[in-house]
Amino acid sequence: MQIKTQRDGETLAVLLTGELDHHSAAPLRVELDALLGDRTIRCLALDLCGVTFMDSSGLGVVLGRYKLMKERGGSVRIQGASRPVERILKMAGVYALLGQQDAERGKGHV
Amino acid sequence: MFDNEMHVSFLGVSQNESFARMVAAAFASQLNPTIEELTDIRTAVSEAVTNAIIHGYSGMRGMVGMDCAIEGRNFTVTIRDEGRGIPNVPLAMQPFYTSVPNLERSGMGFAVMEAFMDSVTVESEVGRGTTVIMKKEIAAVGCDE
Ligand SMILES: Nc1ncnc2c1ncn2[C@@H]1O[C@H](COP(=O)(O)OP(=O)(O)OP(=O)(O)O)[C@@H](O)[C@H]1O
Ligand SMILES: [Mg+2]
């Protein structure tokens, strides 16, 4: 799993590439939390357009970061999920939890 | 008797999650599944193997067994561990139930398996281990498509 980041004001945009499973979730979590140690970041924008595989371990990473951002009054946004990845996110009600509407989810790049 | 079958066994470490789903998908490929059907199989296998590693063995060294079989258009994959077992299977299979919320698990593994496969059967005994049997019919695609 590769990650590319771009800072824009209070938003940290993160582009994820590769397979997001239990094996890759652990280092990804460490890397994201190190970045989010900067408390001036108020919005984490995850671009999943390069994620070729994701299972429920990916849900854990997303929901865990949501909890972290919520604790500081911030937010998480998701975009670019492929159909199968989107299906899993929807099953767990992630878009609704993040307060995202259908139209906002479309393909996009950091 | 199955038309075809295969059996593998691998150490329950996270490096083998991608190995297991690749092997299962490669074996299922002889049924000419769609990309979507293959993704369903890969995801369901990943869930069951991850559970064997995280929950079944939780840090202990142990082997995970995977059997795949084909009968007509039906694909069956069985994933087995000899780990701690599940005390209450119906509870464990409920969406959002996890016994380890502190590990950032969402409790959606079994729900994903059930959504992506036609059937999921779980046999488990505390202290003996867990066997997850998943079946999926691969739709026949006409040659003029
Ligand atoms: N092979 C197994 N051995 C022992 N317990 C298991 C096994 N598989 C599942 N369980 C139990 O069933 C529960 C539910 O499993 P499920 O995969 O649905 O959720 P999870 O693994 O906790 O979270 P997620 O899959 O979303 O990361 C687990 O929390 C665990 O207690
Ligand atoms: Mg699981």
Side-chain angles (χ1 to χ4, degrees):
Chain A
M1 174 115 268
Q2 286 194 319
I3 97 167
K4 245 199 217 155
T5 61
Q6 194 182 310
R7 183 70 190 263
D8 179 14
E10 294 189 328
T11 299
L12 180 71
V14 177
L15 175 68
L16 299 177
T17 310
E19 301 201 317
L20 180 38
D21 63 3
H22 165 239
H23 181 66
S24 60
L28 174 62
R29 189 175 281 133
V30 169
E31 215 171 332
L32 286 176
D33 286 355
L35 289 162
L36 295 174
D38 177 349
R39 294 187 63 88
T40 61
I41 297 168
R42 311 282 297 169
C43 176
L44 173 65
L46 292 172
D47 190 333
L48 306 182
C49 72
V51 175
T52 51
F53 175 88
M54 190 184 97
D55 60 19
S56 66
S57 296
L59 285 175
V61 173
V62 173
L63 293 171
R65 303 299 74 63
Y66 167 71
K67 222 173 115 186
L68 193 82
M69 292 306 290
K70 206 179 135 195
E71 274 164 13
R72 67 174 72 159
S75 62
V76 175
R77 313 211 67 73
I78 292 178
Q79 65 171 27
S82 66
R83 282 248 315 269
V85 170
E86 188 179 69
R87 188 170 166 205
I88 292 182
L89 290 167
K90 276 187 181 172
M91 271 183 70
V94 170
Y95 289 110
L97 186 73
L98 303 186
Q100 277 184 257
Q101 303 301 312
D102 279 37
E104 291 180 63
R105 287 176 217 158
K107 297 254 174 205
H109 299 268
V110 170
Chain B
M1 258 240 279
F2 300 120
D3 301 330
N4 194 5
E5 58 188 295
M6 70 90 169
H7 311 273
V8 287
S9 159
F10 48 88
L11 191 65
V13 290
S14 64
Q15 286 87 338
N16 285 332
E17 290 157 4
S18 63
F19 166 78
R21 57 181 187 259
M22 263 194 288
V23 167
F27 185 79
S29 289
Q30 58 197 284
L31 289 170
N32 293 318
T34 61
I35 304 270
E36 192 184 344
E37 286 166 333
L38 269 187
T39 302
D40 291 352
I41 290 169
R42 282 216 306 267
T43 311
V45 165
S46 194
E47 295 293 353
V49 169
T50 300
N51 279 352
I53 294 169
I54 301 181
H55 306 296
Y57 293 124
S58 55
M60 290 182 310
R61 197 180 167 88
M63 299 298 286
V64 178
M66 181 170 78
D67 306 334
C68 294
I70 284 169
E71 206 178 355
R73 307 267 342 143
N74 293 301
F75 172 76
T76 304
V77 55
T78 303
I79 288 148
R80 189 178 322 102
D81 67 68
E82 287 166 9
R84 64 171 61 190
I86 304 175
N88 184 340
V89 171
L91 174 68
M93 291 182 80
Q94 276 179 24
F96 299 107
Y97 172 81
T98 180
S99 57
V100 285
N102 54 312
L103 291 185
E104 260 186 19
R105 310 309 308 178
S106 65
M108 288 298 287
F110 278 125
V112 167
M113 290 180 240
E114 289 193 301
F116 287 25
M117 301 294 278
D118 295 340
S119 75
V120 179
T121 309
V122 179
E123 292 160 7
S124 192
E125 202 180 320
V126 172
R128 301 290 300 268
T130 301
T131 301
V132 177
I133 304 156
M134 302 186 280
K135 293 181 192 285
K136 190 177 184 70
E137 187 180 338
I138 305 301
V141 177
C143 33
D144 52 358
E145 278 191 39

